[in-house]
Amino acid sequence: MMPLTMAKEGEAAEIQRVGGKEDVRRHLENMGFVPGAKVTVISINNGNVIVNIKESRVAISREMANKIHIL
């Protein structure tokens, strides 16, 4: 298991765990970042991570991406 920020561009993975405080977890869950969801990294630039999740393209900060653990 590793944080989402360790994934390479174009890599597909499955979310294993979402960490952080309750409000942060709830915010990420509302965007579709839940255990078992498939996520594909589109690009990483200036620390921000752009991913495809549930047929949507979402940009999140490096801080948020570090709370999402993938396999």
Side-chain angles (χ1 to χ4, degrees), residues 26-69:
R26 196 170 19 245
H27 177 66
L28 289 169
E29 287 171 4
N30 288 339
M31 291 193 293
F33 294 95
V34 294
K38 303 283 191 236
V39 61
T40 304
V41 177
I42 303 301
S43 68
I44 300 173
N45 57 345
N46 298 332
N48 294 325
V49 181
I50 300 173
V51 298
N52 259 354
I53 185 161
K54 298 194 176 186
E55 300 173 18
S56 297
R57 190 171 280 200
V58 179
I60 56 174
S61 69
R62 169 181 226 98
E63 184 182 352
M64 291 277 212
N66 274 326
K67 294 177 179 11
I68 301 167
H69 294 273

